[in-house]
Amino acid sequence: MNISLKDYEIIFDDTLSSLPNFLAEHKYSKVFVVVDENTKQHCLPILQNVLTAIEIIETKSGEIYKNIATCEFIWQQLIEQNADRKSVIINLGGGVIGDMSGFAASCYKRGIDFINIPTTLLSQVDSSIGGKLGIDFKYGKNLIGLFRNPKLVLVSSQFLKTLPKRQFINGWSEIIKHALIKDKAQWLLYKNIDIHNCDMNAIVFHSLQIKKAVVEADPYENGLRKILNFGHTIGHAIEAYSLEHDETPLLHGEAIAIGMICESFLSVKKCGLTQDELNEITKLILKYFPKYNIENYNTDKIITSMLSDKKNNATKILAALLSEIGNSVFDIEINKDEILESLNYYNSL
Ligand SMILES: NC(=O)c1ccc[n+]([C@@H]2O[C@H](COP(=O)([O-])OP(=O)(O)OC[C@H]3O[C@@H](n4cnc5c(N)ncnc54)[C@H](O)[C@@H]3O)[C@@H](O)[C@H]2O)c1
């Protein structure tokens, strides 16, 4: 099972056996593998079954380490181990490693190749493709970064076996999003399956095809790609607030799940989604993502954070909303009162 994009392929390869040939064909001088302590323990042994001549760069797990200091550490390791422009980096990890180490690779000596081997469900269905790379900065998430594609993406369902349950569910929010914005048939399927007992390769394959179609039509997010931000206008602001204030912050997918409920509520008000569809969406999302207590979040701060989001300008907040399940529209302006109303809807559930 493969998906071909314009510049690279996504290969579904449970054993990673296609990797040695790919590396040999590209005549890389050295292979660096960036891991964190969890992917070093659970995922590196699977990679080492097919590849031994590698240099390992170990970072610390967690969003708080997706920053310039960790990039400096990666660059220092590359320099100390004589990485040249024909070296390649394998990003073995979730979205944090993919975004950050892809960014580090893209800056090192004006850019060296990188390969993504996503090891979380979220990174398999979302962050490993589309070319968005970057790190968080003191003023917000993903503020420093660029667009650049990997040379190859390898997807293996082996990695999902060691993923903590919370992280597995987290990935489902982007799978649900892809169906809601572009694929009603897939949505109907998700209403009836047992997510803990289904063919994950088939689900990831389908979800990636939706993302592929969108990012290839609009690689730099000038138009259509904005539909991928459904749930993210409100969700990102909630995620940022939670990261700053909660002892156990919401994960990305959890915050996006809240954002999707709020933005579905706004879709009824503004874009023609029916009340029945809203009820259906709310029910399915709450089945996987139980209600989070966000009632004491400071809504002024959340709205200010939306205004400073790089996807908006300083005066208008724009969102991608649903016109029906399986169809979406973008650049819909939402105002402060509407956002508050949607948060009240979530809190009332
Ligand atoms: N570039 C994009 O288009 C894009 C899209 C969505 C999200 N993102 C970014 O992705 C990041 C979130 O990614 P994530 O959800 O993958 O989180 P993550 O990378 O933080 O990984 C989650 C946790 O799981 C551990 N882990 C990873 N694989 C494992 C495995 N197979 N077994 C056991 N533990 C494992 C990690 O060490 C970490 O502790 C955020 O920074 C977000 O901004 C980027």
Side-chain angles (χ1 to χ4, degrees):
M1 240 179 355
N2 291 359
I3 299 179
S4 296
L5 286 94
K6 221 166 77 202
D7 308 335
Y8 61 101
E9 285 219 82
I10 305 169
I11 301 179
F12 285 71
D13 178 3
D14 272 353
T15 57
L16 308 179
S17 56
S18 51
L19 188 57
N21 272 349
F22 181 89
L23 296 173
E25 273 167 25
H26 284 76
K27 300 189 168 55
Y28 289 117
S29 55
K30 262 190 173 180
V31 180
F32 291 84
V33 181
V34 175
V35 290
D36 62 31
E37 72 279 8
N38 298 316
T39 62
K40 183 181 178 190
Q41 183 188 346
H42 299 294
C43 308
L44 190 58
I46 297 175
L47 179 72
Q48 283 171 323
N49 283 337
V50 295
L51 214 61
T52 45
I54 50 177
E55 310 288 341
I56 293 156
I57 300 179
E58 183 177 346
T59 59
K60 291 191 181 125
S61 70
E63 186 72 30
I64 54 162
Y65 294 105
K66 186 175 147 181
N67 59 23
I68 194 73
T70 312
C71 287
E72 282 179 15
F73 171 76
I74 294 172
W75 291 323
Q76 190 177 333
Q77 296 291 307
L78 291 171
I79 287 168
E80 284 175 6
Q81 298 184 61
N82 302 317
D84 61 17
R85 296 191 68 189
K86 271 306 281 178
S87 299
V88 64
I89 295 184
I90 297 177
N91 299 325
L92 186 66
V96 166
I97 285 190
D99 281 14
M100 173 174 61
S101 176
F103 172 72
S106 305
C107 299
Y108 183 75
K109 298 198 171 172
R110 299 205 176 87
I112 61 173
D113 287 355
F114 64 94
I115 292 169
N116 284 339
I117 306 188
T119 61
T120 62
L121 182 57
L122 183 121
S123 58
Q124 291 192 351
V125 295
D126 193 5
S127 59
S128 62
I129 79 158
K132 283 188 181 178
L133 307 172
I135 50 173
D136 303 336
F137 192 46
K138 56 189 164 185
Y139 300 105
K141 255 178 72 73
N142 298 327
L143 276 184
I144 310 296
L146 45 82
F147 285 95
R148 193 156 174 270
N149 283 324
K151 280 286 156 191
L152 173 72
V153 179
L154 286 183
V155 177
S156 164
S157 61
Q158 293 295 316
F159 298 125
L160 302 182
K161 291 180 184 161
T162 54
L163 206 55
K165 190 173 165 215
R166 187 176 172 206
Q167 293 291 347
F168 178 75
I169 306 271
N170 182 47
W172 269 90
S173 105
E174 299 288 353
I175 295 175
I176 290 171
K177 180 197 77 182
H178 287 157
L180 282 174
I181 59 173
K182 233 179 169 332
D183 193 337
K184 182 159 185 180
Q186 206 61 13
W187 168 260
L188 294 175
L189 177 80
Y190 299 155
K191 275 186 12 180
N192 298 311
I193 58 167
D194 170 5
I195 63 165
H196 296 291
N197 189 18
C198 57
D199 179 353
M200 284 314 295
N201 271 343
I203 304 254
V204 173
F205 182 77
H206 206 98
S207 206
L208 279 175
Q209 278 185 316
I210 297 172
K211 179 153 181 184
K212 168 199 149 134
V214 175
V215 298
E216 288 213 317
D218 176 21
Y220 299 110
E221 203 165 300
N222 295 317
L224 181 73
R225 186 169 177 162
K226 294 178 187 176
I227 64 172
L228 294 173
N229 296 328
F230 171 64
H232 285 60
T233 302
I234 295 176
H236 255 163
I238 287 176
E239 182 185 9
Y241 187 89
S242 176
L243 263 179
E244 209 182 312
H245 295 90
D246 290 340
E247 209 172 301
T248 310
L250 290 167
L251 299 177
H252 177 76
E254 294 168 343
I256 298 313
I258 299 171
M260 286 195 289
I261 291 181
C262 293
E263 293 178 24
S264 297
F265 173 86
L266 294 175
S267 300
V268 174
K269 297 214 139 266
K270 303 180 76 88
C271 298
L273 188 77
T274 66
Q275 184 64 42
D276 283 351
E277 286 175 306
L278 170 63
N279 296 343
E280 206 180 299
I281 293 167
T282 304
K283 190 171 161 209
L284 189 75
I285 292 179
L286 288 183
K287 180 172 152 192
Y288 298 138
F289 299 90
K291 176 88 184 302
Y292 300 104
N293 185 2
I294 58 162
E295 271 174 56
N296 55 0
Y297 280 22
N298 181 326
T299 46
D300 282 341
K301 277 198 173 170
I302 287 178
I303 287 169
T304 307
S305 148
M306 281 183 223
L307 284 166
S308 66
D309 190 306
K310 59 191 175 310
K311 296 184 185 84
N312 294 312
N313 63 42
T315 52
K316 280 186 190 169
I317 298 174
L318 301 174
L321 299 179
L322 303 175
S323 51
E324 60 180 328
I325 288 179
N327 263 316
S328 42
V329 282
F330 57 87
D331 279 349
I332 307 296
E333 187 173 352
I334 52 176
N335 66 36
K336 184 176 172 178
D337 288 343
E338 289 166 336
I339 294 165
L340 291 177
E341 220 186 315
S342 75
L343 290 168
N344 285 340
Y345 169 70
Y346 181 79
N347 288 329
S348 73
L349 293 169

